[in-house]
Amino acid sequence: MIVRTLGELKGSTVDVGGECWRSVRFLTRSDNVGFTVTSTVLEAGHELIIEYKNHIEANYCIDGEGEVTDLETDTVHQIRPGTLYALDKNERHKLSVFKTMHLICVFAPALLGTETPEPDGSYRNALDQSAAVAPRD
C-alpha cells in the first residue's frame, strides 16, 4: 500500500512548477502502478497551450474557475469545481485560468515525477516510459 501526504511531498523532487503552476506528483513511474496522480495549482490570469503527445490526462477541478479550449475544433468548455475533463485523444488545448485553479490530475503512462513540459506542451521523458505496469513486491 502506498500512502503519502501533500505535506511530506512539498519541497521534494516531485514538487515541480513553472511560471504560473505548481504540481505535486503523488504517484510516479517508480511506484509501478502505471499512472501518475498529481495535485496541481494554476494561478489566475494565465493561459497555457498544452499537447500531451505521449500521455492521456484527466483533470478534476476541486477549486477555481477557467476554461479549456480544444484548439483543433475551437470548442470551449467551462471548468469549475466538480468538472472533469479528459484529453483522451492527445488534444492540443489551451487552458485559461480565471480564478486560481486546483486540479487533481491523472496521467497514463506514469510520469517520472520531476519533468516539466517542453515548449510544445509534451513531456521530454515520455518516450522512455512504458505503459506496462511492472510487478510489485
Side-chain angles (χ1 to χ4, degrees):
M1 181 180 298
I2 300 167
V3 177
R4 296 189 174 121
T5 68
L6 184 61
E8 71 188 57
L9 296 175
K10 280 189 174 181
S12 73
T13 60
V14 296
D15 180 358
V16 299
E19 178 183 342
C20 63
W21 61 274
R22 183 131 228 101
S23 181
V24 177
R25 283 82 187 262
F26 280 84
L27 295 171
T28 63
R29 182 178 176 192
S30 65
D31 293 310
N32 292 318
V33 296
F35 58 91
T36 290
V37 174
T38 76
S39 173
T40 300
V41 175
L42 303 118
E43 294 177 20
H46 291 275
E47 292 185 338
L48 294 91
I49 304 293
I50 307 166
E51 182 179 12
Y52 297 115
K53 298 176 181 180
N54 306 299
H55 293 87
I56 302 299
E57 182 192 30
N59 299 286
Y60 180 71
C61 180
I62 59 174
D63 195 25
E65 186 175 322
E67 64 186 22
V68 62
T69 304
D70 182 329
L71 294 176
E72 299 281 322
T73 65
D74 289 326
T75 304
V76 178
H77 302 277
Q78 299 303 307
I79 307 299
R80 293 184 176 84
T83 304
L84 179 135
Y85 67 97
L87 304 156
D88 62 325
K89 294 177 182 59
N90 306 100
E91 294 91 346
R92 186 167 184 265
H93 61 287
K94 175 174 70 174
L95 182 59
S96 303
V97 184
F98 306 140
K99 181 180 172 190
T100 297
M101 292 175 68
H102 186 180
L103 303 173
I104 301 301
C105 312
V106 177
F107 288 87
L111 302 174
L112 294 174
T114 57
E115 64 269 70
T116 57
E118 292 294 304
D120 68 357
S122 65
Y123 283 111
R124 174 182 48 218
N125 294 326
L127 296 177
D128 298 331
Q129 299 178 31
S130 168
V133 177
R136 298 189 59 194
D137 296 339

